[in-house]
Amino acid sequence: MDPTPSPTHRTVALVGGAGAGKTTLAEGLLFRAGVIPRRGAIEQGTTVGDHDPEEISRQTTLGISLAYLTWTGDDGRESALTLVDTPGHPDFVGGVDTALTVADVAAVVVSAVDGITAGTRGVWAAAEQAGVPRILIVTQEDRARADFRRIVSDLRATFGDHLWPIELPLGEEQDFHAIADVLGEHALVYDDTGHHREEAMPAAAEAEEHDLHVSVTEDIVSHDDAQLEAYLDGNEPSAGELETTLAREVASGEAVPILLCSGLTGTGIDRVVDLLCALSPTSRDHDSRIIVGGSAETDDGTEVRVAPRPDGETVVHVFRTVADPFVGQIAMLKVLSGTLRPSDRLRNATTGAEERIPALFRLRGDQHVPVDALRTGEVGAVAKLTGSPSGSVLWTRPHGSARPAPLPHRQPVYAVSLTPATQSDDAKLSTALARLLAEDQTLLIDRAGGATILRGLGETHVAVAVERLARVLGVEVTTGPAPVAYRETIAGSAQAEGKLKKQSGGHGQFAVVQLRLSPLPPGGGFEFVDAVVGGSVPRSYIPAVEKGARDALAAGGPQGHPVVDVRVELYDGKSHSVDSSEMAFRTAASLGVKAALADAGTVVLEPVSIVTITVPPDLQGPVLTDLSSRRAHVNATETTADGETRIVASAPEAELARYVLELRSLTGGQAQLTITPDRYERAPGTARV
């Protein structure tokens, strides 16, 4: 048994739309807990959460940031929270997905001014899909036009009547200095230091507060038979008893409490910490899930639940890695079972690497706080785990494979080409890109037309990745439009002779092939047919003929694009007993294919993608009009379960280069978009060449 008891730990993911106040809320929580001497400001680049240069320059959160704090409640009980500040920008939704894999509760942050946004809906759905309990926190109550009651009404109309405010503001905007505790039925009046004193409920708010108290109490006790029976007998449960029952309902998803505060002034902040500790499940209250056996590529394996046993085998989830220019790679991790200590030797069950655990620390933004051990349910970090990228499982078993439950798939929708600035950058680019992809699984690298293509979830996502390539990984690149991967196909049937005859002393080079080329149906790819009879082309050279045909098609047709959907038939040829070779027949086949393509001519094919857009119904018309201007064909429109409109269309890739940016502008950021490559079609206006 560990002789050093640790406080009850909870991991809280702060999620919400851009501008909701998540980072400012985190500053308020850390300041009120005494962790930092003053609140930082986003505008000044001094917050704990937004510490990377890319975040400071843009004044927005771009990645996930951890911040550990301890809190002693009025009952003297000590709790520990790891706050996970997440991006609100839609390009960085992968950070939200990652945070939810380790969160015990999602604190959904909503602005009292802006209310529900597309970002709010997105993180709500992500938390629901991940099965993470939610608590709503309405922030920015001190700002002009703050309207808590309107926000609560909208939240309940949008997400359900199981959302209950357990606090009310006593005054708003510049008059927000007190809140009503609905469960305890008293007022909490705050001073300028963020501390409060209890007072009787003001007469002007007494009726509203009491009516809400009755409604909330009845809803809470309705989920507990014994408490409901006592309540019906006239025994009013205490505030503490209501909190205990409500906590069970939060964990099961039956209830979502609504809190309020101002991260800037500190009003209500201590109550937020108290209630996060009282109502959130702890890290040891629920199992974690991993996939044992199989592989991510084949998406098989068996889901196994890992019980949070302090005395069990050590199982660690590496959920995020970040390249640091000073200490190398930092791995953020959560201990699912057992205890992790420096010098422990674990095996990466995902990659097979053997890891010796270096010094452990907790993160507070970019500050490293040393720690002697990380226990079950706790979150921390280590440096230089070179064999453990994001999405790894470490354990003590010498054999077997395992990986975390998969993250939601986020299809890239924006791309640029990368050109190394110097030869030195070119030499380092491949390794640097691999490190970049190891820390952000929503980025994708591919090649088209000889170019290196970086794909992501939007323009900002890709721009930040390029900046990190230079700042952290030391590789400078220039970017340009991603080339469209056009193809060609043969316009008709043709036959040609490929002939190679060279004599330069000694053995010569001789090969003759007779080929027929014909088109295949769309998507047919490549087909090679050996129709030689009589041994005019020796059997040992037939594979070389096929390779030569493939070489010629891949090198490009008359219009400069790779050729697809072609049948190549070898029906005759000639060889020489001394001068023929595999290379000679490969070269002859390539020459013959090129001659046949020139004779028959080719047409250009353009890539077509399936575009799926989900928008509010009132935006369906503008989106359909815009799609028609992009040569898109609408395949279907339907209404989703939550009343949104889903549009499925086919559109040429050439029309989609900046579509994600233009769609967000058109819909005010309310659209959800996926773009999935589908097929090739004949490009309009292209003549046979």
Side-chain angles (χ1 to χ4, degrees):
M1 181 177 292
D2 196 316
T4 308
S6 56
T8 303
H9 183 271
R10 295 168 175 84
T11 303
V12 181
L14 301 176
V15 299
K22 300 182 296 298
T23 301
T24 301
L25 171 61
E27 287 294 301
L29 294 169
L30 293 168
F31 175 69
R32 183 62 181 82
V35 172
I36 55 177
R38 64 185 64 84
R39 300 182 190 91
I42 293 173
E43 298 77 13
Q44 298 172 9
T46 55
T47 63
V48 170
D50 295 348
H51 51 80
D52 282 341
E54 295 82 13
E55 295 175 313
I56 293 171
S57 65
R58 291 173 173 83
Q59 297 188 6
T60 189
T61 303
L62 302 175
I64 62 175
S65 179
L66 307 182
Y68 179 81
L69 65 88
T70 57
W71 181 258
T72 303
D74 293 336
D75 58 2
R77 251 187 278 181
E78 188 178 17
S79 297
L81 299 179
T82 295
L83 306 177
V84 189
D85 191 13
T86 67
H89 195 295
D91 283 10
F92 300 92
V93 66
V96 175
D97 295 333
T98 298
L100 291 172
T101 65
V102 296
D104 302 307
V105 66
V108 182
V109 181
V110 179
S111 166
V113 179
D114 301 327
I116 299 171
T117 65
T120 312
R121 294 186 178 91
V123 299
W124 186 272
E128 193 164 49
Q129 181 179 351
V132 178
R134 280 146 288 177
I135 292 176
L136 275 155
I137 304 176
V138 178
T139 61
Q140 302 177 346
E141 271 290 316
D142 59 303
R143 288 179 50 183
R145 298 183 296 108
D147 190 341
F148 179 77
R149 290 159 182 82
R150 171 180 62 84
I151 301 303
V152 168
S153 177
D154 291 346
L155 287 169
R156 300 193 76 197
T158 303
F159 300 124
D161 57 9
H162 64 303
L163 279 61
W164 284 103
I166 59 174
E167 297 177 323
L168 286 173
L170 301 177
E172 288 189 282
E173 302 179 333
Q174 70 273 14
D175 295 326
F176 178 58
H177 302 295
I179 62 175
D181 175 1
V182 171
L183 300 184
E185 289 204 281
H186 51 252
L188 306 177
V189 181
Y190 284 80
D191 58 27
D192 292 340
T193 68
H195 292 76
H196 71 262
R197 64 182 184 276
E198 292 187 11
E199 294 187 0
M201 195 67 61
E206 193 170 6
E208 179 191 17
E209 185 281 325
H210 184 70
D211 288 345
L212 182 58
H213 170 82
V214 172
S215 298
V216 171
T217 299
E218 290 178 351
D219 187 76
I220 292 173
V221 301
S222 68
H223 297 276
D224 184 290
D225 291 342
Q227 206 168 58
L228 175 60
E229 184 176 350
Y231 180 74
L232 294 175
D233 288 339
N235 297 315
E236 176 89 11
S238 67
E241 291 169 334
L242 289 172
E243 285 184 0
T244 299
T245 305
L246 181 56
R248 291 198 297 268
E249 296 167 16
V250 169
S252 66
E254 295 174 295
V256 178
I258 305 175
L259 320 180
L260 72 152
C261 68
S262 164
L264 196 60
T265 68
T267 300
I269 284 289
D270 57 352
R271 279 283 295 169
V272 168
V273 188
D274 283 335
L275 291 170
L276 284 174
C277 294
L279 302 179
S280 302
T282 75
S283 297
R284 297 186 182 181
D285 287 338
H286 55 90
D287 295 345
S288 300
R289 297 182 300 133
I290 61 173
I291 308 299
V292 174
S295 70
E297 289 74 20
T298 55
D299 194 26
D300 56 356
T302 303
E303 181 177 296
V304 173
R305 292 192 169 272
V306 180
R309 293 178 50 198
D311 59 347
E313 67 172 316
T314 303
V315 182
V316 177
H317 174 196
V318 179
F319 60 91
R320 173 81 159 138
T321 58
V322 180
D324 185 282
F326 303 107
V327 300
Q329 179 172 284
I330 294 175
M332 302 179 188
L333 47 84
K334 182 173 185 177
V335 180
L336 307 184
S337 174
T339 299
L340 184 66
R341 292 183 173 85
S343 299
D344 282 353
R345 294 185 179 274
L346 300 178
R347 179 175 169 273
N348 189 313
T350 308
T351 67
E354 300 292 333
E355 299 279 20
R356 182 178 182 275
I357 303 300
L360 297 169
F361 51 89
R362 292 191 174 101
L363 285 168
R364 194 168 288 142
D366 60 355
Q367 180 186 2
H368 298 180
V369 181
V371 62
D372 62 347
L374 291 172
R375 298 163 179 83
T376 298
E378 295 183 341
V379 170
V382 297
K384 301 178 181 178
L385 288 189
T386 55
S388 298
S390 302
S392 294
V393 169
L394 307 177
W395 61 13
T396 51
R397 300 181 190 181
H399 306 291
S401 64
R403 63 189 187 277
L407 294 172
H409 179 62
R410 305 287 183 178
Q411 186 74 33
V413 292
Y414 186 81
V416 297
S417 64
L418 304 180
T419 303
T422 67
Q423 187 173 355
S424 174
D425 292 317
D426 191 16
K428 296 184 293 184
L429 180 60
S430 178
T431 300
L433 288 174
R435 291 183 64 186
L436 199 64
L437 267 62
E439 66 178 62
D440 186 349
Q441 298 175 60
T442 59
L443 290 170
L444 181 68
I445 299 293
D446 62 24
R447 300 189 70 83
T452 299
I453 309 299
L454 174 62
R455 301 185 185 276
L457 301 183
E459 184 178 36
T460 304
H461 188 205
V462 170
V464 168
V466 169
E467 290 176 29
R468 285 186 60 79
L469 264 182
R471 180 179 65 84
V472 181
L473 301 173
V475 177
E476 298 278 354
V477 297
T478 58
T479 62
V484 177
Y486 290 107
R487 298 288 184 264
E488 294 176 47
T489 193
I490 194 168
S493 297
Q495 61 185 46
E497 178 183 80
K499 184 175 183 180
L500 180 66
K501 184 178 181 180
K502 289 185 178 181
Q503 190 70 42
S504 57
H507 288 305
Q509 298 183 57
F510 180 85
V512 178
V513 294
Q514 303 289 339
L515 303 174
R516 294 190 187 97
L517 271 66
S518 55
L520 290 174
F526 170 76
E527 180 182 338
F528 180 78
V529 178
D530 172 14
V532 173
V533 293
S536 57
V537 177
R539 307 304 305 169
S540 60
Y541 295 143
I542 301 296
V545 175
E546 180 177 351
K547 289 178 182 177
R550 289 182 181 273
D551 290 344
L553 297 176
Q559 303 187 63
H561 309 295
V563 182
V564 296
D565 302 340
V566 176
R567 182 180 188 267
V568 177
E569 179 186 356
L570 169 66
Y571 66 92
D572 202 358
K574 295 180 182 179
S575 67
H576 188 277
S577 59
V578 175
D579 293 341
S580 290
S581 65
E582 288 188 5
M583 183 55 66
F585 272 96
R586 185 170 180 174
T587 303
S590 179
L591 294 171
V593 167
K594 290 177 180 178
L597 290 174
D599 183 37
T602 61
V603 294
V604 174
L605 304 176
E606 65 177 349
V608 175
S609 295
I610 297 297
V611 179
T612 304
I613 307 151
T614 305
V615 290
D618 59 319
L619 293 172
Q620 177 180 348
V623 170
L624 290 174
T625 300
D626 181 69
L627 283 172
S628 67
S629 71
R630 299 175 185 276
R631 299 190 284 125
H633 172 74
V634 177
N635 303 326
T637 60
E638 59 187 13
T639 302
T640 66
D642 56 1
E644 300 271 280
T645 296
R646 182 181 293 119
I647 301 166
V648 181
S650 301
E653 185 182 310
E655 302 287 344
L656 300 176
R658 296 182 61 82
Y659 183 55
V660 62
L661 313 179
E662 291 154 2
L663 181 64
R664 287 175 184 170
S665 176
L666 178 66
T667 64
Q670 298 186 71
Q672 298 177 46
L673 170 69
T674 62
I675 300 175
T676 306
D678 184 51
R679 63 187 185 276
Y680 277 85
E681 291 182 351
R682 181 168 178 167
T686 58
R688 166 178 164 171
V689 174

